[in-house]
Amino acid sequence: MCGIVGYVGSRQAAPILLDGLTRLEYRGYDSAGIAVVEPGHPLALRKTPGKLSALVESLKGATPAGFAGIGHTRWATHGSPTQLNAHPHTDCSQQVVIVHNGIVENYLALKEQLLKEGHTFTSETDSEVIAHLIESSMAEGVAFEEAVRQTAQRIQGAQAVVAMNVKAPGRLVAFRLGNAGGITIGYGDGEMFLASDLPALLSHTSQVAFLAPGEMVTVEAANARFRSIHGPAIRKSPQAAPYDAVAIAKEGYRHFMLKEIMEQPGVVQRAIGGKVSFEPADVRLPLFPFTAAQVREVNRVVLTGMGTSLHACMVARYYMEQIAGIPAEVDNSSELRYRDPILDGRTLLVSVSQSGETADTLGAMEEAARQGAKQITICNVEGSQSTRMAHGTVFIGVGPEIGVASTKCLIGSLAALYLLAVYLGKVRGHLGPGRMESLLNDLATVPRLIGQVLEHQGLYQRLAHQYADYLHFLYLGRGINMPVAMEGALKMKEISYIHAEGYPAGEMKHGPIALIDGTMPVVALAPRDGLYDKMRSNIQEVKARGGKVIALATQGQHDLRGVADDLIEVPPSPYLVSPMVNVVPMQLLAYHIAVRRGCDVDQPRNLAKTVTVE
Ligand code: AGP
């Protein structure tokens, strides 16, 4: 996730911006920059690839003066981490300057229109279109703040943006769309602060306010004015920020698990970061250890992991076969390592382990190494054991996951596995540019789609109130969403201590249907896909036996109303990325039931975050 800071007041802005960016370094980034406005002077824009220290070095003896400014640490998504692609970005005349966190999903169409209008672009990023859109509105006589509001209505996707205008030096305008990172407003004494995260503000103030999705704010040294991006004014009062280190680390959330669930839109952005280009559509894995010839030798992929990582493998089987065109199989690592498998130099073992230290997964990797299989591992921890054992690693880069129940690492693993499959498909000549572009655009919609699911916490609190006292749950799914049923059951087991089983829905008649009665609710994943009709039949079979059904359905799918007892409606999503969206309701259902049952959500009984023993 990118880091954003902003300042307006009576002190020099540059040192405050750099200090704020330093406090956001933990978020990970690959370039940094600041922009400072001084009345009567041209915009001062300083940005560098790499770490903040490079930016600080570049400013030595030439720190720009000015009492208002914005700063940014970028995690590259569209466009590699270069000086030109670093934020802040400006319009053609360097009057408007912006910093951005998120993905402008419709940027290609917007950029084409702006180019036709004569705008000139200097970067490969999607973000730059925001500055030119504001400029375009102002060229029609629209005032700066209104031009920002109009821009907020034209871009699609989940975003957080802060804009400045050289001609309005004492003013910052920010807006937030969806859930790909927020904007916090800090109230000082005759000065105001903006930041994507609390830690950047707390050395200056403990009075803060937060932008909700669909809101914007105009900040001047003495005040902040809030509005909906649709126009009406909004009243907000500053509140006391949490002060203790753990509360700050939780960023105000009650549990790390909820914070990490809420971070998931940004997780996909980071997983894309630096690996994907959209013009032209391409996936780059610069450290990939095998040549094209070696990749073309591969005649099967074996995916292996444990727990949630095993469920990621089950989804990735579809990616390897339907995207890369390679036969694939999935094996629980603790089984694979002991079943004398037949592996060889034409097998690619893809292990998934967010910790990189799971004993059984490492054991399976050792067996694969003994038989000469090629190995790639998907991991979140640099320097961990699995990254040293595999020939190559695709890092998911989602930052530390504190909650024992894995959430954001699953999403990060799925995004990394998806990109690995696209890369393999490209290298094998199985994917043409058109299919690749379509696949990458589908992935780019996921932050917004997850963000839409996250807007409905009230639904899960209501469901928790209704279902927290049941002792058994059955989760059913089909196709690429069957692993999501398995993951939903695992989340329910591990944090609420309720017995829950995940099953392929087609198995129901082969035994589980004997369990159905009013004491065991069924969670049925029935999104609008090629298997919906079969899932609908399963739901009706459960109802016919007096069972209760919580159905996950695609928004607008009204024919399940009156059939299922409760509906969880999710936005439509492309089939192959749908697990990244549909798993989020499973996480939230388990979370809110566990909270209602008074369980220790972040550190459930008997569980360890990393299982380093068999
Ligand atoms: C998931 O919520 C559990 N904490 C557990 O199943 C975990 O996924 C499993 O232990 C694998 O961990 P790894 O990804 O670090 O290998």
Side-chain angles (χ1 to χ4, degrees), residues 306-309 352-356 358 404-406 490-491 494 611:
M306 299 296 287
T308 291
S309 293
V352 181
S353 175
Q354 71 84 15
S355 65
T358 296
V404 166
S406 190
L490 175 61
K491 287 287 148 314
E494 61 179 333
V611 183

Side-chain angles (χ1 to χ4, degrees), residues 275-536:
K275 303 185 187 82
V276 174
S277 86
F278 290 84
E279 287 179 277
D282 193 12
V283 174
R284 292 186 291 265
L285 298 180
L287 301 177
F288 194 76
F290 305 123
T291 65
Q294 289 171 319
V295 168
R296 284 193 288 270
E297 278 173 7
V298 170
N299 62 4
R300 73 174 170 142
V301 172
V302 175
L303 294 140
T304 194
M306 299 296 287
T308 291
S309 293
L310 175 61
H311 299 151
C313 292
M314 294 164 75
V315 172
R317 181 183 188 185
Y318 287 80
Y319 298 167
M320 294 301 161
E321 296 198 339
Q322 298 190 19
I323 296 176
I326 309 174
E329 62 194 73
V330 177
D331 230 327
N332 172 300
S333 300
S334 64
E335 293 299 313
L336 176 62
R337 68 184 297 193
Y338 294 120
R339 66 172 177 79
D340 293 329
I342 298 174
L343 307 172
D344 61 22
R346 301 192 66 190
T347 304
L348 172 62
L349 184 92
V350 177
S351 54
V352 181
S353 175
Q354 71 84 15
S355 65
E357 300 294 347
T358 296
D360 282 314
T361 308
L362 299 177
M365 296 173 74
E366 283 166 357
E367 176 58 22
R370 194 179 64 78
Q371 298 200 41
K374 294 179 176 68
Q375 294 204 44
I376 293 291
T377 195
I378 308 295
C379 189
N380 191 40
V381 180
E382 299 201 14
S384 59
Q385 185 67 7
S386 67
T387 65
R388 294 198 296 272
M389 292 172 66
H391 296 103
T393 300
V394 181
F395 285 104
I396 65 177
V398 303
E401 184 175 67
I402 311 301
V404 166
S406 190
T407 51
K408 65 175 183 175
C409 283
L410 171 63
I411 300 295
S413 298
L414 289 176
L417 287 159
Y418 186 91
L419 293 175
L420 174 62
V422 172
Y423 180 81
L424 293 172
K426 176 191 80 168
V427 170
R428 297 180 75 246
H430 183 75
L431 282 186
R435 178 87 196 290
M436 189 140 62
E437 181 174 348
S438 166
L439 288 165
L440 295 178
N441 286 338
D442 286 350
L443 184 62
T445 65
V446 171
R448 169 173 53 84
L449 297 174
I450 292 178
Q452 288 175 9
V453 172
L454 294 174
E455 289 170 9
H456 301 286
Q457 299 287 332
L459 165 65
Y460 302 96
Q461 286 158 346
R462 178 172 64 77
L463 291 171
H465 179 72
Q466 283 176 258
Y467 291 93
D469 295 332
Y470 284 94
L471 301 180
H472 306 278
F473 277 83
L474 180 62
Y475 285 72
L476 300 176
R478 286 177 180 263
I480 203 168
N481 284 291
M482 188 279 283
V484 179
M486 306 291 283
E487 176 63 10
L490 175 61
K491 287 287 148 314
M492 185 66 82
K493 278 195 279 278
E494 61 179 333
I495 63 173
S496 70
Y497 315 146
I498 295 174
H499 169 241
E501 290 194 64
Y503 253 97
E507 273 279 352
M508 209 177 72
K509 292 191 185 67
H510 299 270
I513 200 165
L515 296 171
I516 300 298
D517 61 24
T519 67
M520 185 170 81
V522 173
V523 179
L525 287 102
R528 174 69 70 190
D529 61 23
L531 296 164
Y532 167 70
D533 291 339
K534 297 190 184 303
M535 279 308 300
R536 192 175 192 282

